[in-house]
Amino acid sequence: MDRAALWLILLGVFLISATCDPVKKYLLVSYQKKKVDIYSFYINSTVTSRYVTTVITSRVANTLNESQEIQFEVKIPKNAFISKFRMVIEGKTYDGVVKGKEEAQQQYNQAVSRGQSAGLVKSVGRTLEDFKTSVTVAALSKVTFELTYEELLKRRLGKYELLINAQPMQPVADFKMDVHIQEKPGISFLEVKGDLSTGDLANAIKTTRADKDAWVTFYPTQDQQTKCKSCGENGLNGDLLITYDVERRSPKGEVVLSNGYFVHYFAPSDVPRIPKNVVFIIDRSGSMHGRKMDQTRVALLRILTDLDEDDHFGLITFDSEVSLWKRKLCKATETNLENAKSFVKEIRDRGATDINAAVLAGVDMISRHPREGTASILILLTDGDPTSGETNIEKIMANVKEAIGTKFPLYCLGFGYDVNFDFLTKMSLENGGVARRIYEDSDADLQLQGFYDEVAVPLLTDIQLKYPGGTKLTKTSFSLYFNGSEIVVSGQITDNSVESFTTEVIAVSKGSNVTYQDTIMTKDPSDVPPEDEDFMQRLWAYLTVKQLLERQVLLTGQEKEDEKKEALKLSLKYQFVTPLTSMVVTKPQEEEIEVAEKPEEVGMEQTDHDDILMSMPITDMSSSYYDSYMDVPDTYVSQTETMFTTMFTTTLYTTTSPAVQEVNRFLLDVVGQSKPLCFDIPVPHKLRLLQDSASEFSMNGESLSEQNGFHQIAFHYKTNHHLMINTKSISYRNGQDNVEFLWGQEPTQYNADSVSLVVREHVMNVTFGNISVVILSHKKDGVMFLWPAIWEYSKDAKLTGVLGKADISYKETQGSQTPILKIKDKEVKTSLETVSDYRLHSTPVRECWLVPFQALMEAEISDFTVTQL
Ligand SMILES: *[C@@H]1O[C@H](CO)[C@@H](O)[C@H](O)[C@H]1NC(C)=O
Ligand SMILES: *[C@@H]1O[C@H](CO)[C@@H](O)[C@H](O)[C@H]1NC(C)=O
Ligand SMILES: *[C@@H]1O[C@H](CO)[C@@H](O)[C@H](O)[C@H]1NC(C)=O
Ligand SMILES: *[C@@H]1O[C@H](CO)[C@@H](O)[C@H](O)[C@H]1NC(C)=O
Ligand SMILES: *[C@@H]1O[C@H](CO)[C@@H](O)[C@H](O)[C@H]1NC(C)=O
Ligand SMILES: *[C@@H]1O[C@H](CO)[C@@H](O)[C@H](O)[C@H]1NC(C)=O
């Protein structure tokens, strides 16, 4: 180990002990574990006709002889709406109240301006959302938390999936999970899976089946709670996934009536499949490079294998140019499929993204070969914005809409987070399809194939559902119905005193028109009333709100406002936490307020684009439970060589420079020299601070003109890791997890494959692969700013960027009046300056030799600027 390395380590120790006290913080964590006793944790899910109401109740005791903060954190499915949250402390009940977003925000802002910390209750994973709150509980007192959420299960590939996450954070003496499923037509199969059903825990699961009911109970002992694959010292940590389907005796579907509301589930399966014409439009632009392109090829090869012989298909790849495998649709014969597979294997990424030309080519291909009695489907897969040809999104949408002319649906699959998902959503909704997000992950090929599987077997087209005795209906017309999915319509019954209720479905089957008519007696004596009589009304409200929210992207002006108002009205009436509402939770301490909101996904206007209800009866594929959550223990051990390179600081040229100009002053330590070099870069700017092309790592920083340092620093690693740090919060996403930290919070860690994030009070330690960087948050004159310092990187890494310069040496030349340094055999004029060393929390002042940036870097500043963080 060389001297610089040793110095760095010593400095590291100093840095940490100077900025926060890790020993104390970590003590706090383990001591909390002992002094907070979660003595009971119940999860109670009731499913009535696919509508799930889940209540999580956690009873916690503060066993400490002083008051302390007690946390409640649970994960709920993204598709669900929270509808109730309650805390009971010392016999007093504190209920969350759902309010319009603006009203809630006002209340929240007032609370903040009064200095009461108003925490937030959100964070998003791939299939789950995080609900987190805390409350101060008096010495030796108890608190009960109760959270209720509701959702309608969607049928996908022939089954419903009910996902329940359990992670109470410690083994619990009295842990119970009760699931009761009530399905009027009977349950055809039921399976319990998920990581909580593995190992010793499997013995804690009991399934009881009756004709129309199923009960799943999961009562693990405290000991068992530490003994599953994903469980540990902190007890249960994982999911239970209950999959089931219902009996379908009548192709006319199932109608459930209750208290003046009805729901109609329509999912015939004994209908011949309709041959399909499917055109795949595949983005092969440069951004698809690497794993995305590989996974797309793998998925396409499998999809081709699955085509039926009477299907016709086309393949289009595009970047700035559009390539057709064949000019017209081809029958899925063995020879054609073999040729197509060879074509797929040769798809290579290159160039820009001309979505407009590619989609129009696809439309043209289908339109030119109309075939009677078939179902046509256009599938666009892209990972980016249109960057070539027509790039105006409005124009592309207008072109596509005109070309398709409601003849067939367009499905858009957005790969990763760099896509303009709003654009894809709108374009697909306008053309009778849906947009799906394909998460960048190891299972992306399975996600692609899963989507295809859902649309693989069209059974009906142009489906219209009619309910003469119904009103306030949810969506009643659908362009396609696929085997394994389900069409759901709910509404109110106009006259509740009538004795019968009629449903009618008109659709086009393989080459012929079909009608399904059904009449149901409203008073069926064999009916067992559901546990919750109101569930049907809530189901109707849930579906209506979801659909109104989905339609928002398509609407403009008054109509949009009206529908928004209606969705808000229903959300408030049924106390759903939707994108339009927030739940205000008032805590006992000085009326402290927290606001629970439906989290938005990055780059999305609303949360539920995956919902199928707009036009298509296919279900949400992202609800398959491949969600691995945070806190995966990290086994990656860094094999890095510790080295030290640069540090930097900001200064104001108020006295020395005639033209007053603000700069960021960067410091460059030089091995063997006592004085570091420094150089200035004028602000504001967005700089590439550090880049390692080999490991696809980059760190960029943005500075503002009125501020020291950086107000934002972004990291990108591989294609899917993005870390954004600003002066308030830190958010990290990797296509699967979406994690938020706050500066000043308790020490928190996130670890996953070759990624480690450690947030302490003023310091964050970021490790991506072999590169570790420390980010400090400072406060000067009341203004927060950020400072990066490179901590470690592999000796072999070839770092570039403003902080990437490592191999610098200089000599002081004696004798001249102006000090001159010799850097790489060049003489450079310099002056001795002082700067604050912001790498340390104590910010000591140091002397440095100031040299021109160009002389040091042998490049222009513009070579280091970026347009986007
Ligand atoms: C679960 O909820 C149902 C409906 O609210 C209720 O009837 C039942 O008693 C609850 N079960 C448990 C174990 O709390
Ligand atoms: C709790 O603290 C109070 C005051 O600090 C003290 O009088 C009392 O003895 C303590 N009780 C226990 C059980 O430690
Ligand atoms: C539709 O799915 C059902 C059950 O999954 C199956 O029995 C039936 O054969 C399928 N229909 C077609 C046309 O593939
Ligand atoms: C189906 O019905 C529509 C009108 O309802 C009619 O135009 C069409 O010809 C019918 N198709 C067949 C195959 O009967
Ligand atoms: C930052 O993380 C790296 C890798 O996990 C570790 O070696 C280093 O000691 C950490 N530094 C600090 C300051 O915590
Ligand atoms: C770390 O660096 C070594 C040497 O350059 C390399 O072999 C290894 O793959 C790197 N590990 C990661 C996780 O990037």
Side-chain angles (χ1 to χ4, degrees):
M1 194 184 291
D2 63 13
R3 250 178 53 203
L6 183 64
W7 185 55
L8 168 68
I9 288 169
L10 289 175
L11 203 60
V13 170
F14 173 66
L15 175 76
I16 293 305
S17 53
T19 49
C20 64
D21 190 340
V23 178
K24 192 176 125 216
K25 293 285 183 191
Y26 283 119
L27 261 181
L28 185 67
V29 172
S30 59
Y31 124 125
Q32 273 194 345
K33 223 187 278 173
K34 284 205 201 92
K35 302 302 179 189
V36 169
D37 179 27
I38 303 174
Y39 59 96
S40 103
F41 197 97
Y42 292 167
I43 301 176
N44 186 359
S45 255
T46 313
V47 188
T48 314
S49 295
R50 289 67 135 183
Y51 195 68
V52 193
T53 306
T54 302
V55 183
I56 302 177
T57 313
S58 172
R59 296 186 173 82
V60 191
N62 174 9
T63 56
L64 202 61
N65 192 5
E66 60 184 75
S67 70
Q68 66 166 326
E69 189 98 348
I70 289 183
Q71 243 183 33
F72 173 70
E73 182 174 7
V74 291
K75 300 196 174 78
I76 70 167
K78 267 190 190 176
N79 244 337
F81 289 150
I82 289 173
S83 57
K84 189 171 161 191
F85 175 67
R86 159 176 287 185
M87 291 185 288
V88 183
I89 306 159
E90 288 164 43
K92 262 186 91 175
T93 300
Y94 301 85
D95 277 318
V97 182
V98 174
K99 299 192 171 174
K101 208 157 205 163
E102 275 112 56
E103 198 192 335
Q105 196 61 43
Q106 260 175 19
Q107 206 172 339
Y108 174 89
N109 289 343
Q110 278 167 11
V112 172
S113 67
R114 285 203 305 269
Q116 296 153 339
S117 78
L120 70 164
V121 200
K122 59 180 165 187
S123 144
V124 195
R126 188 154 133 192
T127 60
L128 296 168
E129 284 170 2
D130 198 70
F131 179 95
K132 184 174 173 182
T133 188
S134 65
V135 66
T136 304
V137 176
L140 306 170
S141 295
K142 292 173 179 173
V143 55
T144 300
F145 298 100
E146 186 188 298
L147 180 79
T148 306
Y149 61 86
E150 301 174 34
E151 74 189 300
L152 182 65
L153 298 180
K154 283 188 262 181
R155 188 163 183 255
R156 172 185 174 243
L157 301 173
K159 57 183 189 279
Y160 305 100
E161 291 186 337
L162 171 61
L163 176 72
I164 303 176
N165 180 275
Q167 199 181 337
M169 312 306 271
Q170 59 172 245
V172 176
D174 179 17
F175 180 96
K176 280 189 183 140
M177 191 190 289
D178 286 88
V179 180
H180 179 196
I181 301 171
Q182 255 189 319
E183 293 289 354
K184 204 171 121 188
I187 296 162
S188 62
F189 81 91
L190 183 134
E191 224 181 352
V192 183
K193 294 189 293 192
D195 36 20
L196 292 184
S197 68
T198 58
D200 207 19
L201 278 183
N203 304 324
I205 298 173
K206 276 206 175 61
T207 306
T208 315
R209 295 270 302 269
D211 180 24
K212 296 176 178 178
D213 293 82
W215 291 266
V216 178
T217 62
F218 175 52
Y219 298 168
T221 63
Q222 212 158 350
D223 190 42
Q224 281 172 323
Q225 287 171 40
T226 61
K227 288 185 188 141
C228 81
K229 213 171 60 193
S230 54
C231 308
E233 229 179 289
N234 293 337
L236 295 174
N237 177 5
D239 303 320
L240 215 57
L241 183 75
I242 299 171
T243 58
Y244 75 95
D245 198 15
V246 303
E247 297 287 355
R248 286 167 212 281
R249 290 197 185 83
S250 162
K252 297 166 189 169
E254 173 197 350
V255 177
V256 189
L257 306 161
S258 176
N259 273 356
Y261 288 81
F262 77 90
V263 61
H264 181 201
Y265 297 101
F266 178 70
S269 61
D270 55 350
V271 182
R273 60 179 290 280
I274 301 177
K276 62 185 181 292
N277 310 315
V278 57
V279 175
F280 300 95
I281 306 167
I282 307 298
D283 189 339
R284 56 151 192 233
S285 64
S287 52
M288 286 287 287
H289 177 75
R291 188 160 81 159
K292 283 200 248 180
M293 202 72 254
D294 295 342
Q295 289 171 322
T296 303
R297 274 192 297 267
V298 168
L300 275 176
L301 291 175
R302 278 201 230 115
I303 288 169
L304 288 173
T305 310
D306 289 346
L307 286 174
D308 281 281
E309 190 153 352
D310 56 357
D311 286 341
H312 282 63
F313 71 105
L315 287 170
I316 295 176
T317 61
F318 72 101
D319 46 84
S320 47
E321 284 166 38
V322 176
S323 312
L324 311 182
W325 165 60
K326 289 275 155 60
R327 295 204 59 75
K328 49 180 198 150
L329 288 176
C330 289
K331 199 157 189 254
T333 60
E334 217 164 291
T335 328
N336 281 341
L337 288 176
E338 281 317 309
N339 285 336
K341 285 178 189 170
S342 308
F343 174 81
V344 166
K345 286 176 192 155
E346 290 309 311
I347 300 176
R348 294 286 174 269
D349 57 279
R350 51 179 238 196
T353 313
D354 189 346
I355 289 178
N356 185 62
V359 176
L360 293 182
V363 176
D364 182 60
M365 193 183 278
I366 290 187
S367 306
R368 271 195 294 149
H369 303 276
R371 295 193 300 133
E372 276 294 308
T374 59
S376 296
I377 301 167
L378 210 49
I379 300 177
L380 166 70
L381 171 72
T382 180
D383 75 333
D385 295 344
T387 56
S388 167
E390 181 60 76
T391 55
N392 180 321
I393 281 170
E394 298 299 325
K395 285 206 185 115
I396 297 175
M397 287 196 297
N399 292 345
V400 170
K401 192 173 174 187
E402 195 195 332
I404 292 182
T406 73
K407 292 192 294 282
F408 45 82
L410 167 68
Y411 297 92
C412 296
L413 304 179
F415 206 146
Y417 279 100
D418 293 330
V419 291
N420 183 341
F421 204 74
D422 281 337
F423 158 57
L424 294 184
T425 304
K426 206 163 164 182
M427 186 158 73
S428 39
L429 291 182
E430 273 191 348
N431 295 290
V434 283
R436 283 284 177 83
R437 198 184 278 286
I438 302 297
Y439 294 87
E440 273 186 70
D441 206 342
S442 53
D443 70 340
D445 52 338
L446 296 178
Q447 298 175 52
L448 286 168
Q449 205 193 343
F451 173 79
Y452 171 76
D453 287 345
E454 287 179 48
V455 300
V457 185
L459 296 183
L460 298 172
T461 66
D462 308 299
I463 305 108
Q464 305 289 332
L465 299 101
K466 295 181 182 162
Y467 306 92
T471 176
K472 300 245 172 109
L473 304 174
T474 60
K475 189 175 166 53
T476 54
S477 85
F478 298 81
S479 55
L480 277 166
Y481 161 70
F482 299 103
N483 204 16
S485 70
E486 184 170 65
I487 290 175
V488 185
V489 180
S490 182
Q492 297 181 20
I493 297 165
T494 326
D495 178 3
N496 203 20
S497 64
V498 295
E499 286 184 352
S500 65
F501 182 74
T502 304
T503 66
E504 186 182 25
V505 184
I506 302 164
V508 180
S509 170
K510 190 179 180 179
S512 65
N513 287 341
V514 288
T515 305
Y516 300 88
Q517 232 174 9
D518 198 9
T519 300
I520 304 102
M521 290 299 130
T522 52
K523 311 268 181 302
D524 183 345
S526 73
D527 269 2
V528 185
E531 277 174 15
D532 177 7
E533 289 269 343
D534 272 345
F535 90 95
M536 184 69 68
Q537 184 172 351
R538 299 190 69 84
L539 185 161
W540 167 81
Y542 172 98
L543 203 50
T544 305
V545 170
K546 286 253 158 174
Q547 293 184 358
L548 286 171
L549 289 173
E550 291 260 358
R551 282 169 54 85
Q552 285 288 302
V553 258
L554 283 183
L555 302 175
T556 51
Q558 194 56 42
E559 205 182 355
K560 183 173 179 148
E561 283 312 304
D562 289 348
E563 296 211 351
K564 195 170 167 180
K565 232 186 250 167
E566 180 65 19
L568 175 62
K569 203 179 92 192
L570 288 173
S571 304
L572 290 173
K573 179 168 179 196
Y574 294 91
Q575 293 275 294
F576 290 143
V577 179
T578 69
L580 303 176
T581 53
S582 304
M583 181 181 274
V584 178
V585 178
T586 307
K587 298 181 182 179
Q589 288 81 33
E590 300 113 37
E591 302 269 289
E592 192 189 315
I593 284 171
E594 283 192 323
V595 176
E597 294 184 332
K598 187 94 185 141
E600 286 181 12
E601 219 169 291
V602 185
M604 292 170 100
E605 210 170 66
Q606 25 166 157
T607 52
D608 219 35
H609 295 298
D610 284 26
D611 209 295
I612 52 104
L613 302 159
M614 274 316 294
S615 332
M616 294 300 310
I618 48 173
T619 52
D620 181 354
M621 66 189 290
S622 69
S623 71
S624 63
Y625 85 111
Y626 289 108
D627 200 343
S628 79
Y629 227 77
M630 301 182 43
D631 306 326
V632 182
D634 185 10
T635 49
Y636 166 68
V637 180
S638 158
Q639 303 248 317
T640 48
E641 182 86 356
T642 312
M643 282 172 85
F644 190 66
T645 52
T646 44
M647 58 179 181
F648 62 97
T649 172
T650 300
T651 190
L652 265 177
Y653 257 17
T654 40
T655 49
T656 51
S657 179
V660 177
Q661 191 185 21
E662 289 171 72
V663 296
N664 263 339
R665 178 162 292 174
F666 293 74
L667 262 147
L668 186 56
D669 269 288
V670 179
V671 178
Q673 293 283 4
S674 61
K675 285 199 187 70
L677 297 177
C678 52
F679 56 90
D680 290 342
I681 298 183
V683 292
H685 49 58
K686 286 188 189 143
L687 289 180
R688 171 163 298 123
L689 294 171
L690 198 65
Q691 188 169 31
D692 175 35
S693 313
S695 69
E696 296 176 72
F697 168 94
S698 65
M699 170 172 80
N700 302 324
E702 182 177 7
S703 59
L704 302 177
S705 56
E706 308 285 315
Q707 267 184 27
N708 280 35
F710 291 89
H711 88 112
Q712 208 159 212
I713 293 178
F715 288 82
H716 305 282
Y717 176 58
K718 305 289 182 207
T719 46
N720 55 332
H721 298 266
H722 305 280
L723 171 67
M724 186 64 79
I725 305 176
N726 64 34
T727 51
K728 288 199 191 64
S729 65
I730 295 152
S731 69
Y732 165 70
R733 58 189 161 84
N734 61 15
Q736 188 177 35
D737 289 342
N738 209 330
V739 191
E740 288 248 355
F741 303 101
L742 293 176
W743 286 110
Q745 73 177 36
E746 301 251 316
T748 316
Q749 290 211 30
Y750 174 90
N751 288 314
D753 273 359
S754 73
V755 177
S756 155
L757 309 175
V758 183
V759 183
R760 293 171 203 190
E761 209 173 345
H762 317 287
V763 190
M764 174 164 188
N765 194 345
V766 178
T767 303
F768 284 113
N770 286 341
I771 302 176
S772 288
V773 178
V774 172
I775 306 287
L776 283 96
S777 92
H778 283 282
K779 199 170 196 172
K780 195 176 165 190
D781 305 327
V783 181
M784 301 267 292
F785 60 92
L786 302 171
W787 293 95
I790 303 169
W791 224 240
E792 298 180 310
Y793 58 87
S794 161
K795 217 166 52 176
D796 305 331
K798 289 201 176 51
L799 297 183
T800 55
V802 171
L803 302 182
K805 204 87 181 166
D807 53 344
I808 280 285
S809 64
Y810 72 83
K811 274 203 211 101
E812 286 174 39
T813 330
Q814 315 283 251
S816 63
Q817 216 173 1
T818 355
I820 289 187
L821 296 182
K822 208 165 181 187
I823 302 172
K824 277 198 188 164
D825 301 327
K826 265 187 301 183
E827 294 202 331
V828 180
K829 273 190 206 162
T830 184
S831 58
L832 200 56
E833 302 285 341
T834 57
V835 289
S836 299
D837 184 352
Y838 284 120
R839 279 172 316 160
L840 301 176
H841 194 57
S842 54
T843 62
V845 174
R846 298 184 69 189
E847 284 190 320
C848 67
W849 291 114
L850 181 67
V851 292
F853 176 83
Q854 289 80 357
L856 197 62
M857 295 289 176
E858 298 166 292
E860 292 300 321
I861 291 173
S862 59
D863 296 335
F864 292 88
T865 55
V866 294
T867 50
Q868 237 196 326
L869 277 197

